[in-house]
Amino acid sequence: MALKPIERRSFLKMAAAGLSGALMPLPLYAEALGAIDPSGPVKFKLGRSEWILHNDGTFDLIAGTIRLRNCRPTVDGQSIFVRNTFMGDSPKGKRIIYELDRGFVMLDLKINYGSVSIGAELSSMSRAPFYFSPLGEARVEGVTRFFKQGLGFGGQSGLYNIQGSTPREWGNTAGEQAWSYGSYLTTALISADNGTLGFGAYEHSDFIQKSTIYNRPHRKGLLDRFPDREDIFFETGFVMENIPLKDDFIKLPDIYIIQGNQPYETLQHLAWNISENMVARKDTRTSYHWSSWYEYKKDFSFEKLKEQLVTLDNLEPKIPIQTIQIDDCYCTHGDWLDTNDNWPKSMEDAAREIFRRGYRAGIWVAPFMVDGKSKLFRNHQNWLIKDLKGDPVPQWETPEGNHYALDGSHPDVQKYIAKVFRSLRKMGYTFFKTDFLDWGLKDSTNIRRYNRDKTSVQILVEILAIIREEIGAGSYWLASIAPFAPLIGFVDGMRVSNDVESTWSPDGVENMFQETYNCQYFNNVFWQNDPDTIYLRNVNNDLTETEKTTIAQWNGILGGTVHTSDRFSTLSEDQLNFWRFLQPQDRPQSAVMPFWGENRKCKVAVRRYKSPRSWGVLFVNDTDEPVQETYQMVEINGENKCWAYLWDPGRSMGLGNLDTISVSLGKHESKLVYLTENNSNPPADLSISGVQLEKYLRRHG
């Protein structure tokens, strides 16, 4: 491994050749970028919100400058029709009981330590509504932005500005400026001064918890040319899917509302509370693994597996990856225990080849997926999700044939899924990547399934519990193409973004940056976030060297899973050293996003290192245009000044003792900086996560 400081002449030569963006101290760019805000980081504080009840049964929520006015329960988006209303005190706050024509709704408006919450009970109802919001039709005041969390894999997640009407003339066309955005698991409303209200339930085993922010625009004048009054509304509740209610009664999980003075910290505080309540698996060793998919796709075989293992045997120094994972290539979907011609009759031989070299054996399974050409489809069509006419519903239609989804509520399906994972575990697999889990989350009102008395979430959770029981507590479970909330407490890792292919595209790499950035608040809180694969290879790769470096360093600094599909035999010595440079800490540790929620062009991630006390800071331009930005040191790591070094694997160059940093980056470019209180280069064997590689290899043999 070439471990030496970057010589100044060599560095300047690289910069002139366009291989590195400029990063230099102020005041070089000060005039171009304008004045610098001298304020340091704001300390996170919780606020105290207040419930206010009105005689007509509506209520307000007051949280600093944010107001939710005239709230009321709603069913399927409409206010409930109330015959009588009763209000009074409850053990933790206020209580409202609404008498309906058929049944009762009781709300508990609670004041807790560090939060308020709203609980609901429905009684004297034989069936639940489809969607019930204990807090609905709330008129929103004092909110300029909102955070929406996607249902799961791929988002869309992020901060968005509240839209306003424009004086556009629509002519002969009926114009539409109404909008509505749904959010799941966590949601936030944000004021101009960053005051934040975060919403989320602490239980997700029965229902999808959903919040919606929407507008009601009005226009006036000839041709509707002038905007009139426009109100913003908010609702939060549960998708209940019209299930029958046992004893005509149900108590819903409380929805907790946390007031904070910073959006990111408020969301993270909420996420920690959810993770504690759902006993999230957040302490698993950080995964550093190899997967077959993005190099071989379906063209992977037992012989190619052995070739990859022999390559790893011969590498010096060794690469301490933990897992070799076989992806989609070994069977017809659905017939998980029947291998194709590229593999031995049992996948146990492959597991043994991996295990005897000291790696975890990993395997890909899509538990709900059934190929129309499979034996499972031919023999057990009664196990499939069907439409209301009783016909199997294609979930995936391709020229090669259709794929279908198993009905997770069927007892025989549950036994079959248990058998599959039990058998694979007995073969020696202790790393499981499960894909297309969203096929198990099917709205019970639109399909015919074995059990129609349960919600889609309840059925999915039953399958998740079966899988975890069969693979054992010690196995690593990586989920993909999955909804987030129901999987908390079951999985160790979660893909948060779309597939990252070997080209820079909006649906691939750009989605990865958006989702990993906006889901970082729950990385190593719910599980290890998985940003998907890293490409270092030169073959079968349309990414530029700059793009490969940017993606790899971003994945490496985040603190989630780190994995590649590159054949190590195709990588140069520098590329192998780069892969070693990305080795994560064993103990989960997340990067901090100090400028999340601010109007910055670059994405900035910071990792703190303990010995010596120092920081790694990655500046990323994931846009298609060059950017220049300036940052105060105190905003980055809380220190007034630090010694800064431009940092690459095994190499560094001093930039001086700085109180500000200015960054100039080209399209899709990144720059990694090492900060320290002492005037000393980063250790030559330091990884981006803070591992000293030579010491690690000596300690682990």
Side-chain angles (χ1 to χ4, degrees), residues 101 230 280 462 534 555 581:
D101 278 345
E230 179 172 351
E462 287 182 355
I534 291 165
N555 286 17
F581 180 67

Side-chain angles (χ1 to χ4, degrees), residues 477-543:
W477 183 356
L478 174 62
S480 182
I481 312 186
F484 289 160
L487 276 78
I488 301 171
F490 291 106
V491 302
D492 304 278
M494 173 68 74
R495 274 280 301 282
V496 297
S497 60
N498 293 340
D499 290 358
V500 175
E501 300 290 350
S502 57
T503 185
W504 195 287
S505 66
D507 293 336
V509 174
E510 291 178 16
N511 178 264
M512 183 274 291
F513 276 105
Q514 174 177 332
E515 294 306 313
T516 53
Y517 190 62
N518 290 305
C519 294
Q520 182 70 3
Y521 72 94
F522 61 65
N523 186 23
N524 296 317
V525 178
F526 295 153
W527 42 58
Q528 297 165 24
N529 286 357
D530 176 26
D532 206 22
T533 197
I534 291 165
Y535 294 93
L536 300 177
R537 65 180 189 252
N538 296 325
V539 296
N540 302 321
N541 191 353
D542 294 325
L543 295 167

Side-chain angles (χ1 to χ4, degrees), residues 168-178 217 219 223-224:
R168 175 179 173 183
E169 296 185 18
W170 297 97
N172 295 325
T173 303
E176 179 60 73
Q177 291 187 316
R219 299 180 71 81
L223 301 178
D224 283 342

Side-chain angles (χ1 to χ4, degrees), residues 539-560:
V539 296
N540 302 321
N541 191 353
D542 294 325
L543 295 167
T544 67
E545 289 299 318
T546 294
E547 291 169 343
K548 289 191 293 185
T549 298
T550 295
I551 295 168
Q553 291 189 142
W554 179 256
N555 286 17
I557 205 168
L558 289 176

Side-chain angles (χ1 to χ4, degrees), residues 292-293 297-298 325-331 333 336 364:
S292 64
W293 179 252
K297 300 292 185 178
K298 288 182 176 290
Q325 183 237 314
I326 300 165
D327 215 278
D328 178 14
C329 63
Y330 63 93
C331 69
H333 298 153
W336 305 109
W364 178 93

Side-chain angles (χ1 to χ4, degrees), residues 10-26:
S10 298
F11 174 75
L12 293 176
K13 185 177 179 181
M14 289 193 303
L19 299 176
S20 175
L23 189 153
M24 54 197 69
L26 287 184

Side-chain angles (χ1 to χ4, degrees), residues 32 36 55 64 71 107 151 170 209 227 267 271 294 343 353 381 389 401 499 522 547 614 641:
I36 302 166
N55 291 334
C71 311
L107 300 185
L151 176 62
W170 297 97
Q209 199 273 307
L267 286 166
Y294 289 102
W343 297 87
E353 284 288 332
Q381 291 199 23
K389 297 179 182 178
D499 290 358
F522 61 65
E547 291 169 343
S614 53
K641 294 185 76 172

Side-chain angles (χ1 to χ4, degrees), residues 139 216-219 227-231:
R139 194 176 75 247
R216 288 180 183 166
H218 300 275
R219 299 180 71 81
D228 201 354
R229 173 174 172 170
E230 179 172 351
D231 290 323

